Amino acid sequence: MRDTFEVRAHDAAGRIGELTVPRAGTTVETPALLPVINPNILTVEPAKLESTFGAEILITNSYIIRGDDDLAERALDEGLHEMLDFSGAIMTDSGSFQLAEYGEIDTSTTEILEFQRDIGSDIGTPVDVPTPPDVSREQAAADLETTRQALRDAEDVDVGDMLVNAPVQGATYPDLREQAGREAAASDLDVFPVGAVVPMMNSYRYDDMVDAVAAAKRGLDADCPVHLFGAGHPMMFALAVALGCDLFDSAAYALYARDGRYLTVSGTEQLDDLEYMPCACPVCHRHTPADLRAADADEQERLLAEHNLHVTFEELRRVKQAIRDGDLLELVEKRARGHPAMLDGYRAMLEHADQLEREDRASKGAFFGLSHESARRPEVRRHHDRLDRLAVPDSLLLSEYGTPSEHTYDEVWRVEPPFGPFPRALSETYPLTAELPDRTDEAAERAAADGVAALVAANPDADVTLAHDDWSADALARVPNGVELENLAGLGGDGNESE
Amino acid sequence: MRDTFEVRAHDAAGRIGELTVPRAGTTVETPALLPVINPNILTVEPAKLESTFGAEILITNSYIIRGDDDLAERALDEGLHEMLDFSGAIMTDSGSFQLAEYGEIDTSTTEILEFQRDIGSDIGTPVDVPTPPDVSREQAAADLETTRQALRDAEDVDVGDMLVNAPVQGATYPDLREQAGREAAASDLDVFPVGAVVPMMNSYRYDDMVDAVAAAKRGLDADCPVHLFGAGHPMMFALAVALGCDLFDSAAYALYARDGRYLTVSGTEQLDDLEYMPCACPVCHRHTPADLRAADADEQERLLAEHNLHVTFEELRRVKQAIRDGDLLELVEKRARGHPAMLDGYRAMLEHADQLEREDRASKGAFFGLSHESARRPEVRRHHDRLDRLAVPDSLLLSEYGTPSEHTYDEVWRVEPPFGPFPRALSETYPLTAELPDRTDEAAERAAADGVAALVAANPDADVTLAHDDWSADALARVPNGVELENLAGLGGDGNESE
């Protein structure tokens, strides 16, 4: 068991956690955002990140500091916290990004980890190999072997109470990601970045990113804090947290500000295209887009960076509130409508519904049916999986509308898309307390039919009748042959109900 | 032609407009939000609404003022603008709400309109009858006759340059709403509230509200400014604006604040349930939920009201920016995921796609495929409607993947869910520049099949082959019989493409 990370609340595979960072003498609440600090260009001062935006942790690059004699001397002399004027936790990167970018770097895991220790980093990073997507399997496996050696080297460094990252690589090979996750979790390292997802995000391959994260998570343990390395766009947080990511880092807030880009929870706008501020943060409340365009370049960059930070931290608070409320997947539904690639990401996530279901909590706020996709949520899956626990009488009516005033069935159960059948006694239990659209859809009907099929499979001898409200042929085709069908269409839910 | 309202920009049936209010000597940019001012309780001072929140117009109740001797005297003496300390436009209500609530009031259209004129209102209101949903048709028609008479009476009042509302009633009878809209538009009154939708909103019947608005809009003219009376929740704005509403009034910001409720763009939270502020407005930036809970009652109410106003005006700016960008329906997609009833509202709106299409502009930003519902958007409808304008050769391949390197067809066109077929030359024209999810869905396939059917219907003699990527049986069943089918499944879009 890792004693540095404690999970406080769950929703889907997402969690609110507490990461203890002994060297900083602090704990960081997760999901957390680590603003990336370029020690050469402080777009927003770290002290301001702490006081104004509530940043508890940031990340900077030890390889850049080491490569600059002045910075290196100051960092070794004063320590990172004094140099940056930041009292929270500081994570440092190792130069792996530069390795990926330029093909070589002039350091090793052992040397750079010792340097990170010496400049007072709270969480250090070995030199892993960020394998890009779509390389050959041989290449991905060979890179992974190098990363594996880096983790072994890291375990051998005397880091004191500095925590150490154990990056999980494997490119677009789920089995390699899972294996890498399992090995990282078995090491005595502390924090688990899922690496090299930036190229996927840059090319809008959010479904591939989801598959990579889900695979890494299958290998990692529940008590592993997971960092989605390089993911700083707020539109990504809900989805990534729902998959079980705990830490994010953002260079975007500053880099985007530099070329006039303005973050929102569903994408990126160009300041030049804005006539209205689609935000109420202190920057957008005080300024119009025209004000910002008229500002001098430094002021515009600073104000845009502050807006970008506001919207980023706001979304993180929203995600945490959603976990508390148990409606994180409802937030994911909303964010999935930010871009077609986000919808691909959400649809990919639902293919891992079983995996999410295993970590999800049993009872939450009301389930909201918000789309065709809702029918594939883990809560629906769980209901179907548990139908075999229910005692079924010899003759059973499953009715979408209510109990007929006269009947000869042993029992009458409700059937409701997308959940399918359940005894009335369960109506007030999660997730059957769901709020669902009146205008149901065929994905929900099909899921309900699958529920009927699951019930029949567990009780092959029961006589089952299904009274449905005009389900599609496609849905009815999924109902097993032995089930008698009755179409209630036109009854409108009135007339034959006793409750 | 009405010269008080000018439309500046369009998207779906939504518009940015300019309402000239001659008596106030001002113009109001629409969509606009009118904060409701209870002259007895100024939760947020009108001057602050103007300076801090940018309110250009507000609404107060002349019947309440008239019923209070002190207020009536001050209003008659100083005029409303001085009494409330507000320099923008002021709309006044007439007591219709009180009539609906208490069954009678002690005034008439003529008398209350003269009073509104005398206290300096800029937009007055006659005494219409807000018929609730689901009354008998006879009742709705009888109420409408009373409202009709009120509009006639209003036309006879000498109101000077005060504008006058012409409420559109008709309960849940679309034909009555449409007729009422047509008659109101034919009057010489100025602003058109769609009335009595509050009971529908209060019971989450957003689909019924959509049908009522769509019906009223069919009767009204394009130059009629439309007020969705009583709709002040920001989650509703994008949907209502897309249907063609221009004005909203909000009492919610203050009423909700009074009992600890906190507005968001997707619903309402209880302050007591918040652990994190899911917002970055100046109030939420400076305070935690615990701060607000610890504040004294008046301070808490004021701060919550200010937050509620921030999020309300923020959403209005976002809606206006979306109209400028041509992605209002993308915003509606997002807001439809706030609550199952909002999804019902969106689904109901798509049943009026033809109506929206008539007002929509021809070219916008990229169409985003964001859900199953996207396949039913007006842009898809328009593409299908226009397929009969295209010249079709004798033999035509419609291919989802590209042009085979060798073939004997006269032409090869693309086919893309949800749009269906189009010649390659149109690839760079709206809406075929769409961004679509890689993981397509059957609703999109079905819509594409409908496009194929429309093309074939217009060209019954053409030899058409459809090369599709494994469409569902359901979609293929919509392709006309004469079309030859070829399943590209497994080709993965590679290999046989020449571009």
Side-chain angles (χ1 to χ4, degrees):
Chain A
M1 279 293 288
R2 291 191 152 72
D3 54 6
T4 47
F5 187 61
E6 198 169 338
V7 172
R8 301 286 192 193
H10 256 109
D11 191 7
R15 57 264 187 108
I16 292 178
E18 211 169 84
L19 177 67
T20 301
V21 187
R23 202 173 190 197
T26 185
T27 61
V28 173
E29 187 182 61
T30 66
L33 186 276
L34 295 72
V36 175
I37 298 299
N38 178 335
N40 290 305
I41 316 171
L42 300 176
T43 313
V44 179
E45 299 284 339
K48 182 163 191 179
L49 290 172
E50 196 164 3
S51 63
T52 300
F53 296 94
E56 297 183 329
I57 180 168
L58 56 75
I59 180 168
T60 190
N61 192 319
S62 69
Y63 184 72
I64 290 177
I65 294 172
R66 177 176 161 285
D68 179 311
D69 288 345
D70 285 351
L71 283 174
E73 195 183 317
R74 279 187 59 202
L76 286 166
D77 185 37
E78 305 170 6
L80 271 184
H81 289 80
E82 192 176 322
M83 181 173 106
L84 297 177
D85 189 17
F86 186 76
S87 75
I90 298 179
M91 181 187 285
T92 43
D93 198 358
S94 63
S96 300
F97 175 78
Q98 285 71 16
L99 176 65
E101 201 78 343
Y102 308 116
E104 59 177 334
I105 53 172
D106 65 347
T107 189
S108 66
T109 287
T110 304
E111 189 206 25
I112 196 76
L113 266 180
E114 286 174 346
F115 179 73
Q116 291 173 74
R117 176 198 64 203
D118 294 344
I119 61 176
S121 172
D122 302 308
I123 309 174
T125 308
V127 181
D128 62 319
V129 182
T131 312
D134 311 320
V135 300
S136 71
R137 191 186 166 81
E138 292 64 37
Q139 179 68 48
D143 284 357
L144 203 53
E145 182 51 40
T146 308
T147 295
R148 192 176 283 132
Q149 185 57 51
L151 302 199
R152 282 193 214 106
D153 292 347
E155 289 184 287
D156 290 340
V157 178
D158 174 15
V159 294
D161 53 5
M162 179 173 79
L163 301 179
V164 177
N165 278 319
V168 178
Q169 299 290 350
T172 26
Y173 297 95
D175 60 322
L176 295 184
R177 288 273 184 188
E178 181 173 346
Q179 183 193 344
R182 192 167 300 116
E183 291 169 4
S187 74
D188 57 17
L189 305 182
D190 309 284
V191 178
F192 302 87
V194 177
V197 296
V198 169
M200 299 179 201
M201 288 192 287
N202 288 347
S203 50
Y204 291 85
R205 291 167 57 179
Y206 303 145
D207 47 359
D208 290 334
M209 185 204 77
V210 163
D211 288 341
V213 172
K217 287 285 296 184
R218 284 195 296 278
L220 293 165
D221 297 331
D223 61 0
C224 293
V226 176
H227 182 168
L228 190 61
F229 211 79
H233 198 300
M235 76 176 172
M236 200 58 69
F237 293 166
L239 179 66
V241 169
L243 285 161
C245 297
D246 308 294
L247 300 168
F248 301 88
D249 57 282
S250 174
Y253 79 94
L255 294 178
Y256 282 35
R258 206 155 302 152
D259 44 81
R261 284 185 289 170
Y262 177 103
L263 298 178
T264 78
V265 293
S266 52
T268 308
E269 305 276 348
Q270 294 285 343
L271 173 61
D272 283 347
D273 295 337
L274 292 180
E275 273 187 65
Y276 305 89
M277 285 299 198
C279 174
C281 81
V283 172
C284 297
H285 178 62
R286 284 193 314 267
H287 301 87
T288 66
D291 291 345
L292 254 60
R293 282 192 288 267
D296 71 49
D298 283 356
E299 175 78 352
Q300 180 187 108
E301 180 179 334
R302 187 183 61 77
L303 289 169
L304 279 176
E306 288 187 18
H307 158 80
N308 289 344
L309 285 167
H310 278 299
V311 73
T312 300
F313 280 102
E314 169 188 14
E315 180 69 354
L316 214 55
R317 292 194 300 272
R318 198 178 279 122
V319 165
K320 288 192 276 195
Q321 182 64 37
I323 295 173
R324 290 284 178 198
D325 289 342
D327 56 14
L328 179 60
L329 292 180
E330 278 78 3
L331 185 59
V332 175
E333 285 263 17
K334 292 177 189 69
R335 296 299 175 251
R337 316 301 156 175
H339 190 278
M342 289 294 301
L343 178 57
D344 278 330
Y346 180 44
R347 288 177 174 173
M349 187 187 92
L350 291 171
E351 285 167 20
H352 304 287
D354 283 341
Q355 185 177 337
L356 299 189
E357 193 276 323
R358 282 194 291 279
E359 298 204 43
D360 200 8
R361 65 194 216 232
S363 181
K364 306 193 267 190
F367 176 105
F368 275 10
L370 297 174
S371 70
H372 281 246
E373 286 77 24
S374 299
R376 295 167 56 209
R377 279 179 48 175
E379 297 89 341
V380 176
R381 190 70 61 98
R382 175 180 293 175
H383 178 68
H384 292 177
D385 289 347
R386 294 186 174 185
L387 282 167
D388 63 4
R389 304 182 181 184
L390 298 173
V392 168
D394 291 342
S395 113
L396 174 64
L397 171 66
L398 309 176
S399 167
E400 206 170 350
Y401 279 176
T403 303
S405 40
E406 289 186 23
H407 68 83
T408 59
Y409 302 100
D410 294 334
E411 286 181 28
V412 180
W413 288 12
R414 291 181 59 189
V415 62
E416 187 156 44
F419 296 102
F422 54 92
R424 273 151 206 286
L426 293 184
S427 300
E428 299 304 314
T429 61
Y430 187 86
L432 304 167
T433 49
E435 298 266 2
L436 301 165
D438 290 336
R439 294 165 188 245
T440 192
D441 60 62
E442 56 200 45
E445 289 173 2
R446 279 197 302 267
D450 290 345
V452 174
L455 187 75
V456 170
N459 303 276
D461 298 331
D463 254 349
V464 178
T465 301
L466 170 66
H468 63 90
D469 181 11
D470 207 21
W471 288 7
S472 70
D474 201 17
L476 292 174
R478 300 162 93 105
V479 176
N481 277 329
V483 174
E484 193 174 325
L485 297 175
E486 198 178 311
N487 192 340
L488 301 170
L491 298 182
D494 301 307
N496 71 337
E497 280 193 276
S498 69
E499 60 181 302
Chain B
M1 278 294 288
R2 289 190 155 72
D3 54 6
T4 47
F5 187 61
E6 198 169 337
V7 172
R8 301 285 193 192
H10 257 107
D11 192 7
R15 59 264 185 108
I16 292 179
E18 211 168 84
L19 177 67
T20 301
V21 187
R23 202 175 190 195
T26 186
T27 61
V28 173
E29 188 184 61
T30 66
L33 186 275
L34 295 71
V36 175
I37 299 299
N38 178 336
N40 290 304
I41 315 170
L42 300 176
T43 313
V44 178
E45 300 284 341
K48 184 164 189 177
L49 289 172
E50 198 164 0
S51 63
T52 300
F53 296 96
E56 298 183 327
I57 180 168
L58 56 74
I59 181 168
T60 190
N61 192 319
S62 68
Y63 185 73
I64 291 177
I65 293 172
R66 179 177 159 284
D68 179 310
D69 288 345
D70 285 351
L71 283 174
E73 195 183 317
R74 278 187 59 204
L76 286 166
D77 186 36
E78 304 172 5
L80 271 183
H81 289 80
E82 191 175 324
M83 181 172 107
L84 296 177
D85 189 16
F86 186 76
S87 74
I90 298 181
M91 182 187 283
T92 43
D93 199 359
S94 62
S96 299
F97 175 78
Q98 285 71 17
L99 176 65
E101 201 79 343
Y102 309 117
E104 58 177 336
I105 54 173
D106 64 348
T107 190
S108 66
T109 287
T110 303
E111 188 205 26
I112 197 76
L113 266 181
E114 287 173 346
F115 180 72
Q116 291 173 75
R117 176 198 63 201
D118 294 344
I119 61 177
S121 172
D122 302 309
I123 308 174
T125 308
V127 181
D128 63 316
V129 183
T131 312
D134 310 323
V135 299
S136 71
R137 190 186 167 81
E138 292 64 36
Q139 179 69 48
D143 283 358
L144 203 52
E145 183 50 40
T146 308
T147 294
R148 192 175 284 133
Q149 185 57 51
L151 301 199
R152 281 192 215 106
D153 292 347
E155 289 184 287
D156 290 339
V157 177
D158 173 16
V159 294
D161 55 2
M162 179 172 81
L163 300 179
V164 177
N165 278 318
V168 178
Q169 298 291 349
T172 25
Y173 297 96
D175 60 321
L176 295 184
R177 288 272 184 189
E178 182 174 345
Q179 184 193 343
R182 194 167 300 115
E183 290 168 5
S187 76
D188 57 18
L189 305 182
D190 309 286
V191 177
F192 302 87
V194 177
V197 297
V198 169
M200 301 178 200
M201 287 192 288
N202 288 346
S203 51
Y204 290 86
R205 292 166 59 177
Y206 302 146
D207 47 357
D208 290 334
M209 185 205 78
V210 164
D211 288 340
V213 171
K217 286 287 293 185
R218 284 194 296 276
L220 292 166
D221 297 330
D223 61 0
C224 292
V226 177
H227 182 167
L228 191 61
F229 211 79
H233 199 299
M235 77 175 171
M236 199 58 71
F237 293 166
L239 179 66
V241 169
L243 285 161
C245 297
D246 307 295
L247 299 169
F248 302 88
D249 57 282
S250 175
Y253 80 95
L255 294 177
Y256 283 35
R258 206 156 300 153
D259 44 82
R261 284 185 289 169
Y262 177 103
L263 298 178
T264 79
V265 293
S266 52
T268 308
E269 304 277 346
Q270 294 286 345
L271 173 60
D272 283 349
D273 295 338
L274 291 180
E275 273 188 64
Y276 306 89
M277 286 299 197
C279 176
C281 81
V283 172
C284 298
H285 177 63
R286 284 193 312 266
H287 301 88
T288 66
D291 292 343
L292 254 61
R293 282 191 288 267
D296 70 50
D298 282 354
E299 174 77 352
Q300 181 187 106
E301 181 179 334
R302 187 183 61 77
L303 289 168
L304 279 176
E306 288 188 15
H307 158 79
N308 290 344
L309 284 167
H310 278 300
V311 74
T312 299
F313 281 102
E314 169 188 14
E315 180 69 354
L316 214 54
R317 292 194 299 272
R318 198 178 278 123
V319 165
K320 288 193 276 194
Q321 182 64 39
I323 294 173
R324 290 282 178 197
D325 289 342
D327 57 13
L328 178 59
L329 292 180
E330 278 76 5
L331 184 60
V332 175
E333 284 265 15
K334 293 176 187 71
R335 296 299 175 251
R337 317 302 157 175
H339 190 279
M342 289 294 301
L343 179 57
D344 278 330
Y346 180 44
R347 289 177 174 174
M349 188 186 92
L350 291 171
E351 287 169 18
H352 304 288
D354 283 340
Q355 185 177 337
L356 298 189
E357 193 275 324
R358 281 194 291 279
E359 298 205 42
D360 200 7
R361 66 193 214 234
S363 181
K364 305 195 268 191
F367 176 106
F368 275 9
L370 298 173
S371 70
H372 281 246
E373 286 76 24
S374 299
R376 295 168 56 210
R377 279 179 49 176
E379 296 89 341
V380 176
R381 189 71 60 99
R382 174 179 294 176
H383 178 69
H384 292 177
D385 289 347
R386 296 189 171 185
L387 282 168
D388 63 5
R389 304 182 180 184
L390 298 172
V392 167
D394 291 341
S395 113
L396 174 63
L397 171 66
L398 309 176
S399 167
E400 206 170 350
Y401 279 174
T403 303
S405 40
E406 288 187 26
H407 69 84
T408 59
Y409 302 100
D410 294 334
E411 285 180 28
V412 180
W413 289 13
R414 292 181 59 188
V415 62
E416 187 157 43
F419 295 102
F422 55 92
R424 271 151 208 285
L426 293 183
S427 299
E428 298 304 315
T429 61
Y430 187 85
L432 304 168
T433 48
E435 298 267 359
L436 301 165
D438 289 336
R439 294 166 188 244
T440 193
D441 59 63
E442 56 198 46
E445 289 173 0
R446 279 198 303 266
D450 290 345
V452 174
L455 188 74
V456 169
N459 303 277
D461 298 330
D463 255 350
V464 178
T465 301
L466 170 66
H468 63 90
D469 182 10
D470 208 21
W471 288 6
S472 70
D474 202 15
L476 292 174
R478 299 162 93 107
V479 175
N481 277 330
V483 175
E484 194 173 324
L485 298 175
E486 199 178 309
N487 192 340
L488 300 170
L491 298 182
D494 301 310
N496 70 336
E497 280 193 275
S498 69
E499 58 182 304

